[in-house]
Amino acid sequence: MKLSTKGRYAVTAMLDLALHSGNGPITLAEVSSRQDISLSYLEQLFSKLRKASLVESVRGPGGGYELKRPSSQISIAEVVLAVNEPLSATKCNGKGGCQDGDLCLSHQLWSELSDQIYQFLSGITLEQVIQRRFVKKIAERQNQRFREEDVILFS
């Protein structure tokens, strides 16, 4: 199973929001700059995340996005599924038509792996990820680079 760019970027963007929550709404331009994800791609992802009630938008000056629930209550699986990313290791995406409309020999094996992946990602929240030491170090580096870019832009 390979998680596509859509799922990886959605998780990354949500982690960015979680890291910066409490500082008011975060613009997608800020997330784009820190995470090196295209702004137009983020807009597509956040439309789906909003429809899944994972984020809310704040309009007007100083607007942006905020998590709709505490980061401790949003699982990684929810984020991936919100952007229509299947958590399936089967060739048929769990539909059962692997081989000419029937199950293939290894369908059950890959289906069980899919279940394990889902359980794993369901058991991890955004909060748990952002509390990891190496994630905090990476976030510090990204924030430093972001501040340096602001200085250059406004100099």
Side-chain angles (χ1 to χ4, degrees):
M1 181 192 133
K2 183 175 190 247
L3 192 60
S4 77
T5 301
K6 188 179 355 177
R8 285 185 292 112
Y9 281 1
V11 170
T12 300
M14 290 291 284
L15 290 170
D16 189 277
L17 277 190
L19 280 161
H20 297 94
S21 67
N23 299 331
I26 307 297
T27 68
L28 292 184
E30 292 173 284
V31 177
S32 174
S33 178
R34 279 191 295 262
Q35 303 308 326
D36 198 25
I37 302 172
S38 114
L39 184 56
S40 61
Y41 199 75
L42 282 172
E43 289 167 348
Q44 294 171 34
L45 293 176
F46 272 74
S47 172
K48 292 178 181 188
L49 294 168
R50 192 173 38 78
K51 286 178 185 168
S53 295
L54 296 178
V55 297
E56 58 188 352
S57 61
V58 178
R59 296 190 179 274
Y65 284 89
E66 295 178 316
L67 297 177
K68 192 145 187 180
R69 298 186 311 237
S71 58
S72 61
Q73 295 177 12
I74 300 174
S75 75
I76 301 301
E78 283 183 275
V79 175
V80 174
L81 292 173
V83 294
N84 302 322
E85 183 68 25
L87 289 174
S88 179
T90 61
K91 177 181 175 184
C92 63
N93 282 329
K95 295 178 182 137
C98 328
Q99 189 174 35
D100 299 323
D102 292 321
L103 295 179
C104 65
L105 286 174
S106 58
H107 178 86
Q108 192 61 38
L109 174 70
W110 302 127
S111 183
E112 290 171 12
L113 174 61
S114 298
D115 292 343
Q116 291 294 316
I117 292 168
Y118 177 78
Q119 291 302 318
F120 175 74
L121 294 178
S122 291
I124 301 173
T125 66
L126 295 173
E127 183 67 24
Q128 289 171 313
V129 176
I130 65 172
Q131 290 304 320
R132 294 176 178 176
R133 186 178 314 137
F134 70 91
V135 171
K136 288 180 178 181
K137 284 187 173 200
I138 292 168
E140 287 173 19
R141 176 181 46 82
Q142 290 174 337
N143 288 334
Q144 179 64 34
R145 189 184 78 213
F146 183 71
R147 284 190 295 273
E148 290 170 358
E149 288 174 2
D150 276 353
V151 169
I152 292 169
L153 287 175
F154 295 109
S155 294

